[in-house]
Each structure stands twice: as C-alpha cells, then as structure tokens.
Amino acid sequence: MQKVELLDTTLRDGAQSEGISFSVRDKLAIVQTLDALGIPLVEAGNPGSNPKDAEFFASVKTLKLQHARIAAFGATRKPNTAVADDPQVKSLVSVGVPVLVIFGKSWDLHVTEVLKTTLDENLAMIRDTVAYARKHSERVIYDAEHFYDGWRANREYALATVAAAAEAGADTIALCDTNGGRFPEEIAAATAEVVKLLGKRAAVGVHTHNDSGLAVANSLAAVRAGAAHVQGTLVGFGERCGNANLSTILANLQLKAKCACIPADCLPQLTMASRRVAEIANIALPDDMPYVGTKAFTHKAGMHMDGVRKCSHSFEHVPPDSVGNARRFLISEIAGRSAVLERIRKIAPSVQKGDKVVDALVAQLKQLEQSGYQFEGADASFELLVRKALGTYQPRFTLEHYKIVGERPARNDLEGATAIMKLSVDGCSEITAAEGDGPVNALDRSLRKALDRFYPTLKDVRLTDFKVRVLDGNRATEARVRVLIESTDGRAIWTTVGVSTDIIEASWLALVDSIEFKLTHDQEKPA
Ligand SMILES: [Zn+2]
C-alpha cells in the first residue's frame, strides 16, 4: 500500500477564508478533531504574526495528541537580511514545535515583480531559511509557492528553487498551485519532473486551490505522478474558492486508490469530524459535499431506492458507513408506501407491510404534502410524525400561549422584537420573555430560556440554517410559507419543517419539532 502523508491547514490557509474567524479554543478543538481522525500533520500560523497564535502555540503543547504533530508556518527571510536577524524567522523557530513549514517563491515573476529582488537572492533566501529552520526543528517542509505557474513561465528557475530547498535540508517539497488555475495533466507532468529531479533527496508534496474546481483532481493527479504528501483543509475551507478538500481526497485515496492516509479504523470518523470542523467554523457544510454531506447517500427516485435495497452498490459508489455517513431514503409521493414503511421500521422495526399504521401515515403524508409540507428535507419532523402515528410520542412541553411585540426602529441589533411565552413541563408553568433581532429569533430565545432548567442539553443546540419558501405567491400576503430549520448539537444535524400562512407560526412549528426531536433522542440514549 502506498503511503500518502496528509497535512491539514484549516487553521492557517482555512482561516484565510472569508467569514471564518477562529478563537484559540476553536483552534484547539479543531486540532483535537483532526487528531482523533488520524491526520498526521496539522499546520497552524506563525506565532509571531499575532498574539492569538502565540497563545494557541502555548496551549496546544498541553494537549495529549495521538496522531497529529503540529507545524508552524512562516516565510523565507527578507531579501538582503541575515536569516538570524529576521524577526519573522526568529519568532517561527522560537515556537518550539517539531515541524516547520517554510514557504518561498518559485515563480520568477513573483521574485522580480512582487518581492523586487534578484533570482539569485531568492535562492539564497530559500537556502538560508530552510537550513536555519532545520537547525531549530526536527523536520522542515518547504512550500514552493506558485510552483506550477513558475514551472510554466521559467521551468529551469522553478526547479532550481525546489532543489535549493532540498539541498538545504527540507525533507518534503510541497508544490503549490497557489492561484488554483492549473489542469490535472499539467500538475501531473510538473510533479513527475520534480519527483525525478529530487529522487531520494526529498519527498514531493502537493498543495492546491479550487479556483477552477479542480483542487481534488489536481491533488490526485500529483499523487499518481509520485507525490507522497498532500496538503489541504478537511472540508475545503480556504481563500477564495477554497483549498483542496482533504475529506474527499482521503476517502478517494484510501477507498479507491489503495493508499494509506489515516489509520483504517479512523475512516468511519470522517463524516463526524468534517461536520464538527464546519460546526466550529460556524459554516454550514454543503449538503452535497462528497462522502460527508447529508445528501451524499440520499435516494429519492423509487427505482433507485428499490435498487439500493436489493444491492447497495447498484446506486452507491461506496458504502455510506465506510466514511461514517448514513443512507437516506427521501419521503415523498414518488417514494410511495415501501419508503414510508422503511422509515417507520427504523423507528419501530416490528411494523409490518399490512399494518394499519402504514396506510394511516401514507394518507396523512398525502394530506400534509397537499397543504404544503415536504418531508424530503425534514427527516426529523417526519420521524416525529411517525412516532405520533405509532402512539410512542410524548410531548416534552405544552405551549399555553406566546405573544410577539415588534419594535421599529429597533433600539439595537438584538432588540427588534420581544417574545413573551407561557408553557408548562409536567404541570410546571414557566413564563419567559426574550428579545431577538426579529420575531423568530425572539421566539427561539424565549423558548430555550423557558426550557433551560428542565432540559439542560438544549444549551448545545444551535440553529444552523433557516429557509423560507413562499408556496402560493399569487395569493400575495395571504400566501402560505414553508419554513425549514436546520439544527445541530455539534454531533448530529437534523432538519424540521413548518407550514402556515403566518411565517411566525410556520417558524414556531419547525422550532418546536427541532427541540422535541433533540429531547426525544436524548431520552433514548443510554445514560
Ligand atoms: Zn494555499
């Protein structure tokens, strides 16, 4: 089995993505997630670049890690400066992590037009910095920035830069498609050339970006051409269109190309780890992300469902549990009785085809779909519906009433609306009020506040997505709306639905399902 080493740069390149800002705690949680998944190298920033990074490096040393080694990242020295006098290099080597990643210029254009120095001086900068870093660490990886663009523009020079890094002591040379513009065949040709050039002196790696939608394909092309080290971010976060998605790459390599990237028994953690990283970054994981998205093993057409039931690989490229994901059959009129029965059996395995409850549910589903409900994207609401039909559903609370007061202009961002609510849990009444930036937000806050002391696990639940669809727009302001709410507790993701002519009512219905779903599942978990 060919071994391919992975380096995750979610904390460094990923953090350069628009909309992402990690606290020190977030970063530590990501390190632990990647470690549990068996990722061998986790790259963070330069401790000298900001106080947050310095605090991170101090704290990360206290973590007990099983698989991951931490790498710090910095640039080659400044032109015409002694390496030992360069403050950026000094702060990098002082951090005391085992692995240092040094990046430098490989494209002549960047040397002369951006750095404004000579080609020879740039080679000296690479040599000096790599050698100095090597003296202060166990291992140096050299990132050849813009290597593939440089290889097209001035091949001889691009190759000279990587040879310089290898001679100076870097054991791995990562070739970068920094602008994300290259094609797999170019990546393969250039990588093969460097593999041949360096021979046993250094391993070759690859670092790609997704600007042409080819980051994964380009990484795989490099591996086929002899690269033994792949850099990327677990769920593809990164500048512009993102870095190479490591979750896709590692599943492809491990399941299909017979390469070893992480320990085999860690692979079923892939989905959970990916969702957790997205959760920490507070970014909704695209549901169609290969292998790990919620739609990755979802079937809607009746014929496909039938095929999967008879022989799962008839419509699935790998078994969903190989990466810790789950198969889903969507519920809709297309799917019909057998899909409904399948879903019921997940909750109540003893239900049979001829049971009355199946007919009752199919009929109820038709009626609800006619009134605007759709359960294809709302598994959790469907599950509650089944439980109600089976008589196993127990409401965790009863609403007495709620009232919403809007205020315009809002006094500040969080005080546009106030929700007052009265509800009861086991005969115990609770009255709360909460403000929010709008009526739905105020309702959500008020409901949690009311339930907090009865159900402390609700603290972990966050709404991650909120979608509103107008169903019969021709009825203007009388139109019905369908609200879909996606929630997570950091481990599972579930979606609920509500329909009404009143958008707040529709949101309330979806919100209540979300909370009920969580509480129902919490209660079923063994203590
Ligand atoms: Zn990058």
Side-chain angles (χ1 to χ4, degrees), residues 294 298 327-331 343 346-347 374-386 484 493-497 517:
T294 50
T298 293
R327 176 180 302 138
R328 285 161 69 232
F329 289 137
L330 293 182
I331 296 308
R343 289 295 309 273
K346 268 195 181 166
I347 302 154
Q374 241 182 40
F375 293 95
E376 292 179 342
D379 288 352
S381 285
F382 181 76
E383 186 182 318
L384 292 174
L385 204 68
V386 172
L484 279 173
I493 300 171
W494 62 95
T495 308
T496 51
V497 62
F517 181 83

Side-chain angles (χ1 to χ4, degrees), residues 9 12-13 16 176-178 207-209 239 243:
T9 181
R12 203 267 307 165
D13 230 352
Q16 290 174 29
C176 306
D177 182 20
T178 309
H207 173 120
T208 61
H209 279 261
E239 241 168 327
N243 281 64

Side-chain angles (χ1 to χ4, degrees), residues 339-389:
V340 175
L341 182 63
E342 187 117 351
R343 289 295 309 273
I344 297 174
R345 277 195 175 144
K346 268 195 181 166
I347 302 154
S350 63
V351 172
Q352 295 302 314
K353 210 173 181 177
D355 286 0
K356 273 194 203 132
V357 68
V358 182
D359 289 330
L361 260 170
V362 170
Q364 193 188 4
L365 213 57
K366 279 216 165 108
Q367 196 195 0
L368 284 168
E369 285 189 352
Q370 238 154 39
S371 69
Y373 273 86
Q374 241 182 40
F375 293 95
E376 292 179 342
D379 288 352
S381 285
F382 181 76
E383 186 182 318
L384 292 174
L385 204 68
V386 172
R387 288 175 186 272
K388 284 173 193 169

Side-chain angles (χ1 to χ4, degrees), residues 199-216:
K200 288 198 168 8
R201 283 186 289 166
V204 174
V206 65
H207 173 120
T208 61
H209 279 261
N210 202 34
D211 300 71
S212 308
L214 291 169
V216 169

Side-chain angles (χ1 to χ4, degrees), residues 480-518:
R480 280 170 308 161
V481 293
R482 178 166 65 235
V483 168
L484 279 173
I485 288 181
E486 187 188 86
S487 313
T488 181
D489 56 6
R491 293 178 295 277
I493 300 171
W494 62 95
T495 308
T496 51
V497 62
V499 174
S500 170
T501 51
D502 174 353
I503 182 170
I504 295 172
E505 168 80 7
S507 309
W508 168 257
L509 294 169
L511 200 59
V512 169
D513 270 10
S514 165
I515 303 281
E516 289 280 6
F517 181 83
K518 162 78 177 159

